[in-house]
Amino acid sequence: MSTVGFLYPGFSAEDDYPRAEKLLTDGSRLALVHTAMPEDAHREDALLAIGGDEVLADGARRVAAEAGPLDAVVWACTSGSFIFGPEGAARQVAALERVSGVPTSSTSFAFVDACRRLGVHSVAVGATYPPDVAGAFVHFLTHHDISVHTLSARDIITAAEVGTLPPETVLEFAAAVASDAPGADAVLLPDTALHTVDVLDALDARVGRPVLTANQVSIWQGLRLAGADVDRPGLGTLFRRG
């Protein structure tokens, strides 16, 4: 049994984590705390603010105090990590690891590691973000040798609005992104504000290829770092080891 701490900015799709925890069969815990979000905006200055070292350090201390000893910590925000650029995102994780004292990652790096696990080299990205923010994610992926066939940006400013998108809209969006890039190995949906845990298997089935979502890869990365990387039904292709 492992305990993973998640630092989640604001309130939008944090209920994906207790939903995922119910699907775990080994007693592992997904402990989450909300970190400060002074402004809910997919805009560079706002994203840099929510991913600051002191904000994350405070979150790490609180989740450890609330959940007890942790086996890993994940900064569960894609845009609040890749917006710092590849080197800045690495420094962000290193600083958080010094505070937490356990293996640490962020959602942006979780996407890279998930692609490597599945042997994915080319992707189609379906971002809820505005185009400039989505472009920063593309830069992060290409820096890590992941080719981006196509990018679709829905231009939604707030995480709160993203969190209201219903499951069928998420499925339709993923299918449309996939149809524009038949040569891509997988589809990536990079916003942790997007509810996806309840439809992970349905996404893979609808698209016919792996679909990697932000909350999914964050949970997978945390469990992997905690030494609890086992086959887990109901959480999509990424969690099937066979």
Side-chain angles (χ1 to χ4, degrees), residues 6-21 30-35 37 76 159-160 162-163 191-197 215 219:
F6 294 90
L7 314 183
Y8 189 94
F11 297 82
S12 47
E14 70 276 9
D15 48 337
D16 264 3
Y17 291 81
R19 288 172 176 169
E21 186 178 271
L30 309 179
L32 182 145
V33 296
H34 298 276
T35 55
M37 179 186 276
V162 173
D191 197 343
T192 58
L194 194 66
H195 285 97
T196 60
V197 162
N215 290 327
I219 294 164

Side-chain angles (χ1 to χ4, degrees), residues 7-239:
L7 314 183
Y8 189 94
F11 297 82
S12 47
E14 70 276 9
D15 48 337
D16 264 3
Y17 291 81
R19 288 172 176 169
E21 186 178 271
K22 291 179 180 178
L23 297 174
L24 308 181
T25 58
D26 62 350
S28 291
R29 297 172 57 212
L30 309 179
L32 182 145
V33 296
H34 298 276
T35 55
M37 179 186 276
E39 182 181 4
D40 180 7
H42 288 136
R43 198 179 64 241
E44 182 176 358
D45 61 323
L47 296 172
L48 290 171
I50 67 172
D53 287 349
E54 286 306 313
V55 174
L56 301 188
D58 174 70
R61 287 188 286 266
R62 286 192 290 116
V63 75
E66 294 177 14
L70 301 171
D71 297 295
V73 168
V74 176
W75 165 225
C77 182
T78 325
S79 55
S81 47
F82 69 67
I83 201 67
F84 287 82
E87 292 80 13
R91 289 193 296 270
Q92 180 189 62
V93 168
L96 182 56
E97 186 162 311
R98 286 193 294 272
V99 173
S100 68
V102 296
T104 301
S105 190
S106 68
T107 308
S108 293
F109 286 110
F111 271 112
V112 172
D113 291 336
C115 285
R116 289 172 177 164
R117 160 60 66 85
L118 296 177
V120 166
H121 301 287
S122 63
V123 300
V125 174
T128 53
Y129 316 128
D132 61 330
V133 173
F137 183 54
V138 170
H139 172 68
F140 187 89
L141 294 173
T142 56
H143 177 84
H144 291 93
D145 299 321
I146 299 170
S147 173
V148 178
H149 272 226
T150 58
L151 167 65
S152 176
R154 290 184 68 105
D155 202 13
I156 300 176
I157 297 298
T158 69
E161 181 180 349
V162 173
T164 67
L165 297 177
E168 189 54 38
T169 297
V170 177
L171 290 165
E172 290 173 356
F173 181 43
V177 171
S179 69
D180 289 338
D185 298 327
V187 170
L188 273 54
L189 304 181
D191 197 343
T192 58
L194 194 66
H195 285 97
T196 60
V197 162
D198 286 344
V199 294
L200 291 172
D201 285 343
L203 280 165
D204 290 346
R206 175 77 70 92
V207 169
R209 281 169 276 171
V211 178
L212 299 177
T213 78
N215 290 327
Q216 176 200 37
V217 300
S218 298
I219 294 164
W220 171 80
Q221 183 83 317
L223 291 168
R224 184 182 71 84
L225 292 175
D229 185 11
V230 299
D231 189 273
R232 299 181 186 276
L235 290 168
T237 300
L238 178 61
F239 282 84

